[in-house]
Amino acid sequence: MDRIPVAPLKSSSFSAATAREDKLARNLSLGPIKLNEQSAKDEPRPEKPAADDNAADAAVPEEAGEPDFATLSAEIDAFLAAYNDGAESASPAVVPSEVTLDRFASAVEQEIAPSDGSGDKWVPDSPGESPPLLAAIRRIAALASALTAAQSGGKYTIGLHRVTGVLHRVMTFVEDEFHAILEDPRVAKPAAVPGASADTGSATGRSMRRPPSFGHGAAVEPDRCVVPTPDGGAGEPFPSETVERLRAMAEAMFAAGYEAECTEVFLVARRNALDASLQSLGYDKPSIDDVVKMPYESLESEIAAWIRAFRHAVDVDLPGERDLCLRVFSGGDVGRGIFADLARCAMLQMLNFTEAVVLTKRAAEKLFKVLDMYEAIRDVTPAVDAFVADASSAVDSGQEGGSAAAAMMADLAYELASVRSRLGESAAAIFCDLESSIRADAGKQPVPGGAVHPLTRYLMNYLKYACEYKKTLEQVFKEYRRSDDDGEHAAGDPFAAQLMEVMELLHGNLEAKSRLYKDPSLSSIFLMNNGRYMLQKIRGSPEINAVVGEAWSRKRSTDLRQYHKNYQRETWSRVLNLLRDDGVITVKGHVQKQVLKDRFKQFNAAMDEIQRTQGAWVVSDEQLQSELRVSIAAVIVPAYRSFLGRFSQHFSAGRQTEKYIKLSGEDLEAIIEELFDGNAVSMPRRRT
């Protein structure tokens, strides 16, 4: 920002009366000061020396006509030029009279009066010139500073009071209008206070919708913000003419020495704008205590809203704010510093939420939301790094104030990396907790019917979903793996190693659970069900299949075939033995009828038991169910048909046949087709 050679004083200490008037001015209760009122109330006029060159000016009769603003400005400019030329001397060459000072102050007051629509005082009359109002503010600010330094013996106290009072009033007007536009770029000027009197003076008739930030402890209202746009932006876009107006106002405040107040108003307004943007995206800034106590369903919703808001803030809001800062505060270093402050405050506030999430109790279901947050921070890191690089480049180019902005942006980048690290560590720990969950699942009650165990369903679906985050989890485990990882974890892919550890633990857990069944056949059905379910999930997910690998899948397929063989041996080998003529049924060419009767009785009882028990067993996978039925039928049905063909004629037709031959080949096929559907039924009657 361009600065005038002489900085005006914001407050004066030349008398108690001056301090009181300064306080009044800062609180917006200072009306236009008239010379006779001031001399009567506060201080007597200093005696005029007989040879005072100003006496003639003071005695100018009113009927001679008051000079216009241009004439007054020229006189003030002459004084300022003379003062600057003779700044080392006690008395400048030209000193305006008290009357001139009062008239000039009144003229400046008139400049901030409501416009009649004839022109915009914040827009230059021609390119390259300062806006008229900015020029007037620069002039009165320089005048206040020069008078403060030039006064001797309180000679210009009254005029100085008048000038500084108007300066404060002007700054209040500028600050209020500055804030109003930052609230909503569509508003050019603040509206008048309802019911305000129009005859209270050119300055007091203005709408002062909030106390000035420089008014003795007065604070900017914290709840003011811009209106968010429908797409969740930080406010209505600022057109170029609005930015030019804001720049002129900022230059005016800087010229008058109100840099801190200007930047404070800007920061408060834009922080509120960012808050409004976040709220429009559903993020309400919950406290750490609220997050820690929040049920998971609510926390899941809050995390989703945070991710939307966080990505939008970095990708859309902050670049827009950076552009606005650099355009309004055209000096560059000031704009970068304000943006750095704004970005740091906004981002740290949002990062507090992630800290709170990490503090919540670890649970398996939180893994994926933690990974979503990790990815959000990881993905925006390049944009933040670009902000840091820009601030650092300002330092390298020697721009004043750039080091502070660079330090703030570097601090933000550090906090971002730190939070990302804690999220990564949390994600790795949650995934590793699966080991403990499997070891802790040592239930002594077998699953009815040998069905897929709930632990198998949960873990395989969990791992399948986790592998959709494969690249992120690989990154997390490489960067934040636990310190107790062994050499195998460290040498290869630690995430893949951890996942395989979980798979092996699950496999061992299922084998232990299979021993809870008293029937070895049912134990084999249980292992088949769970093994097939695991393979289906692996082969149905390219991500998890890539991690597990073909070698592991082939090994599990081999296990499944062995479980199938074990089942066939335990159940159907006994049945097949009943259908064999092993030298007991036929002895020396003669059929031992009683032995034959016993064999049919034993076969019927075995099939009745199998139908009763295994009809209640569960094979939910249709393909596995079909494979089992086909393999059973392929062995048992031909053997039974052959047995019937050889020995059925040895029974008398009628009741004897019905008593011992209860099943036809078709009946046996029907029984086999009803196995493993979870419904126990009685053996059907012999078909006729």
Side-chain angles (χ1 to χ4, degrees):
M1 287 277 174
D2 295 334
R3 300 299 307 274
I4 57 176
V6 182
L9 300 180
K10 294 186 187 180
S11 61
S12 54
S13 59
F14 40 80
S15 71
T18 302
R20 287 194 299 272
E21 291 298 330
D22 184 50
K23 181 175 181 180
L24 289 172
R26 289 173 179 268
N27 285 313
L28 302 182
S29 60
L30 179 64
I33 302 173
K34 300 302 181 182
L35 296 180
N36 58 347
E37 293 174 359
Q38 178 65 26
S39 60
K41 292 180 180 178
D42 287 341
E43 295 185 54
R45 281 179 180 262
E47 278 188 34
K48 297 187 180 74
D52 191 348
D53 292 335
N54 298 320
D57 286 337
V60 174
E62 292 188 7
E63 58 269 17
E66 294 186 2
D68 59 15
F69 183 62
T71 302
L72 292 169
S73 297
E75 186 172 348
I76 297 301
D77 288 344
F79 162 68
L80 292 174
Y83 176 83
N84 290 329
D85 289 341
E88 299 298 326
S89 62
S91 300
V94 178
V95 179
S97 67
E98 298 277 17
V99 172
T100 299
L101 295 177
D102 182 65
R103 288 174 175 171
F104 178 72
S106 297
V108 173
E109 276 190 315
Q110 188 59 38
E111 284 292 298
I112 65 171
S115 174
D116 59 3
S118 59
D120 191 338
K121 297 173 184 178
W122 290 108
V123 176
D125 293 331
S126 59
E129 293 184 358
S130 296
L133 190 53
L134 176 58
I137 293 170
R138 285 178 177 273
R139 189 174 286 114
I140 197 168
L143 177 60
S145 179
L147 287 176
T148 300
Q151 71 158 351
S152 175
K155 184 174 181 180
Y156 299 106
T157 297
I158 296 174
L160 181 59
H161 279 186
R162 179 75 173 117
V163 169
T164 55
V166 170
L167 178 61
H168 286 309
R169 193 182 308 285
V170 169
M171 286 298 99
T172 300
F173 160 78
V174 174
E175 183 184 8
D176 187 66
E177 190 156 305
F178 190 63
H179 187 272
I181 297 176
L182 286 169
E183 280 186 317
D184 188 341
R186 296 167 301 183
V187 178
K189 295 181 180 180
V193 176
S197 174
D199 59 357
T200 54
S202 59
T204 55
R206 294 286 302 162
S207 166
M208 299 303 178
R209 297 188 293 169
R210 35 181 283 291
S213 60
F214 52 83
H216 287 273
V220 177
E221 290 178 12
D223 59 345
R224 292 194 174 272
C225 62
V226 296
V227 179
T229 53
D231 63 350
E236 293 287 349
F238 284 82
S240 57
E241 59 271 17
T242 302
V243 174
E244 290 300 321
R245 181 188 298 273
L246 288 170
R247 180 189 294 129
M249 292 176 180
E251 289 180 359
M253 296 185 76
F254 270 62
Y258 287 84
E259 301 97 329
E261 292 77 15
C262 181
T263 56
E264 179 187 355
V265 169
F266 188 92
L267 280 170
V268 169
R270 300 321 298 165
R271 285 174 190 166
N272 286 341
L274 285 172
D275 286 345
S277 176
L278 300 182
Q279 284 187 333
S280 73
L281 293 166
Y283 177 65
D284 293 326
K285 299 191 296 184
S287 67
I288 291 179
D289 288 342
D290 289 340
V291 172
V292 171
K293 297 175 183 177
M294 202 174 284
Y296 176 70
E297 293 76 14
S298 300
L299 179 61
E300 189 176 29
S301 177
E302 286 290 338
I303 291 175
W306 180 90
I307 291 171
R308 284 195 306 271
F310 184 77
R311 289 184 181 275
H312 192 277
V314 178
D315 295 338
V316 179
D317 288 344
L318 289 183
E321 295 299 327
R322 178 181 177 276
D323 179 65
L324 183 64
C325 288
L326 294 179
R327 291 170 67 194
V328 171
F329 301 95
S330 54
D333 55 330
V334 176
R336 284 188 177 88
I338 292 175
F339 170 71
D341 194 352
L342 181 66
R344 183 176 176 275
C345 289
M347 295 291 287
L348 292 184
Q349 182 272 320
M350 294 202 75
L351 294 180
N352 284 338
F353 177 80
T354 66
E355 296 280 11
V357 172
V358 171
L359 290 175
T360 61
K361 185 178 179 180
R362 286 207 308 257
E365 64 268 17
K366 292 180 182 177
L367 173 65
F368 308 111
K369 287 303 176 185
V370 170
L371 289 173
D372 287 340
M373 298 175 76
Y374 176 89
E375 289 179 346
I377 293 177
R378 179 197 63 193
D379 294 346
V380 304
T381 297
V384 175
D385 289 343
F387 293 150
V388 176
D390 179 71
S392 300
S393 67
V395 177
D396 296 339
S397 62
Q399 294 185 29
E400 181 183 354
S403 58
M408 282 190 283
M409 294 307 299
D411 181 58
L412 173 58
Y414 171 80
E415 290 294 336
L416 206 65
S418 178
V419 168
R420 175 180 167 186
S421 173
R422 283 190 283 278
L423 286 170
E425 291 169 357
S426 178
I430 290 173
F431 192 84
C432 291
D433 285 346
L434 289 176
E435 289 185 27
S436 302
S437 300
I438 296 170
R439 292 190 175 98
D441 193 303
K444 300 301 181 183
Q445 291 296 325
V447 178
V452 178
H453 198 280
L455 178 65
T456 306
R457 290 185 184 277
Y458 175 78
L459 273 177
M460 292 309 300
N461 283 289
Y462 190 90
L463 294 177
K464 179 178 180 293
Y465 194 24
C467 284
E468 294 180 12
Y469 292 84
K470 179 175 174 287
K471 292 186 181 298
T472 301
L473 280 167
E474 287 174 348
Q475 181 180 9
V476 163
F477 270 83
K478 286 177 182 177
E479 295 179 358
Y480 314 113
R481 61 178 179 265
R482 301 169 301 169
S483 59
D484 59 344
D485 283 332
D486 56 29
E488 179 187 357
H489 283 62
D493 179 353
F495 166 64
Q498 185 63 40
L499 185 141
M500 293 307 301
E501 179 71 18
V502 170
M503 296 285 287
E504 291 298 332
L505 280 172
L506 175 60
H507 179 69
N509 183 282
L510 292 172
E511 288 193 325
K513 283 179 167 56
S514 72
R515 293 190 283 272
L516 296 173
Y517 297 98
K518 295 179 181 179
D519 188 333
S521 296
L522 183 53
S523 176
S524 295
I525 291 293
F526 172 78
L527 289 173
M528 269 191 285
N529 273 325
N530 285 271
R532 174 62 71 94
Y533 187 84
M534 293 171 69
L535 272 178
Q536 279 184 325
K537 288 297 179 183
I538 291 170
R539 288 170 174 164
S541 168
E543 293 84 5
I544 192 172
N545 192 44
V547 175
V548 171
E550 279 300 318
W552 193 91
S553 296
R554 284 196 299 271
K555 185 176 185 300
R556 293 285 82 83
S557 295
T558 301
D559 290 340
L560 281 177
R561 288 192 293 272
Q562 187 59 49
Y563 299 147
H564 193 155
K565 289 178 181 178
N566 293 344
Y567 165 76
Q568 292 273 47
R569 183 178 65 249
E570 293 293 339
T571 297
W572 298 103
S573 292
R574 293 183 297 110
V575 176
L576 281 174
N577 287 334
L578 295 174
L579 301 176
R580 290 194 178 103
D581 184 0
D582 49 4
V584 177
I585 298 176
T586 303
V587 178
K588 295 180 180 181
H590 298 283
V591 173
Q592 306 297 310
K593 199 166 184 178
Q594 186 59 45
V595 174
L596 182 62
K597 291 178 180 179
D598 291 340
R599 285 292 180 91
F600 270 103
K601 285 182 179 180
Q602 291 170 355
F603 178 82
N604 292 334
M607 289 306 303
D608 189 49
E609 175 67 15
I610 288 172
Q611 186 179 23
R612 182 178 60 81
T613 58
Q614 298 194 21
W617 294 358
V618 177
V619 177
S620 53
D621 179 68
E622 292 184 359
Q623 183 179 349
L624 178 59
Q625 188 183 74
S626 176
E627 289 173 0
L628 282 169
R629 290 170 175 172
V630 167
S631 66
I632 294 167
V635 173
I636 297 300
V637 173
Y640 183 66
R641 290 183 187 277
S642 175
F643 192 79
L644 281 177
R646 289 180 61 189
F647 299 109
S648 61
Q649 68 270 21
H650 293 284
F651 293 103
S652 301
R655 293 183 61 187
Q656 192 179 47
T657 300
E658 291 180 358
K659 180 178 179 181
Y660 295 104
I661 303 176
K662 295 182 179 294
L663 297 173
S664 66
E666 290 77 11
D667 293 331
L668 185 60
E669 288 178 340
I671 290 173
I672 294 172
E673 282 299 312
E674 292 173 352
L675 297 179
F676 316 122
D677 61 3
N679 297 309
V681 295
S682 299
M683 188 171 67
R685 299 296 298 169
R686 181 176 182 269
R687 297 179 183 178
T688 58

